[in-house]
Amino acid sequence: MLLEPQLPDSGRAGDLARRRAGKALLVFLVGLPVSVWLFVRLPEIWASILPLEGAPFMLAATALGGALAVAPLLTAAAMLVAVWYGVESVYLPRTRPSPVLDRIIVALGLAVWFGPTAALVAASGHAISVGKIHFSRPPRDYYLATDPIAFWQGVGTWLVIAAAIAYPAWRYWRGKFVRT
């Protein structure tokens, strides 16, 4: 029994990837409001579970904890799968071209792949311009004026992490933009 659907004779790899991206996008669009609803309504849901005792309490609390853990992870994974297959569909042969949608997909793909790097570089730039870098865990503030070594180590750490995140993204996209 095959888990992957077979390509029909008239279908192409890009069409299959686009359909997979569409299904993953649908899971994302359903999972996002469910995840938000769970976290927004958490006090009310917990208030209805709290009076329970024994096995019903354990089952309800476990189900709530499982839903709080699985829903955001499934939503994030579906978003990443949708982006992955969407970008792959642009560079695979398809039956019908869609240049405008392809550009939108590539732009979203670039934003998802390079977004964390851009955020870390922007945070480093902001820290340099303000002269203060803040870490939340453990709560620390390092000022350029009073502790320059720790300040520059913090900025350097963020830039090293940004480079470590950017390298796989660059390796992936380099193959898309440069034909070898």
Side-chain angles (χ1 to χ4, degrees):
M1 180 171 89
L2 295 173
L3 296 176
E4 293 289 324
Q6 294 295 314
L7 285 173
D9 292 339
S10 62
R12 294 195 155 178
D15 296 331
L16 179 61
R18 188 69 56 99
R19 282 193 297 274
R20 286 179 180 162
K23 289 176 185 175
L25 183 63
L26 183 63
V27 171
F28 170 73
L29 291 175
V30 169
L32 185 62
V34 169
S35 297
V36 169
W37 181 83
L38 277 171
F39 282 95
V40 167
R41 300 289 181 187
L42 182 58
E44 295 148 14
I45 297 170
W46 184 247
S48 66
I49 293 174
L50 200 55
L52 301 174
E53 294 180 5
F57 172 79
M58 288 302 292
L59 287 173
T62 303
L64 176 62
L68 289 171
V70 170
L73 288 175
L74 182 66
T75 302
M79 190 263 310
L80 293 175
V81 168
V83 169
W84 178 272
Y85 280 119
V87 169
E88 290 296 316
S89 74
V90 170
Y91 297 100
L92 292 173
R94 293 189 316 269
T95 55
R96 289 178 295 158
S98 56
V100 174
L101 183 59
D102 289 351
R103 286 188 180 119
I104 293 170
I105 289 171
V106 168
L108 288 173
L110 285 168
V112 168
W113 276 88
F114 289 103
T117 297
L120 286 170
V121 169
S124 297
H126 180 264
I128 291 170
S129 69
V130 172
K132 175 184 109 170
I133 190 165
H134 173 75
F135 292 100
S136 57
R137 299 227 177 178
R140 306 253 189 243
D141 287 321
Y142 297 114
Y143 296 93
L144 179 59
T146 58
D147 197 359
I149 293 174
F151 173 81
W152 287 113
Q153 284 177 343
V155 170
T157 300
W158 280 356
L159 291 175
V160 167
I161 293 169
I165 294 171
Y167 181 73
W170 171 75
R171 293 286 296 174
Y172 175 77
W173 283 97
R174 185 181 73 156
K176 302 291 183 209
F177 291 131
V178 177
R179 300 288 179 210
T180 55

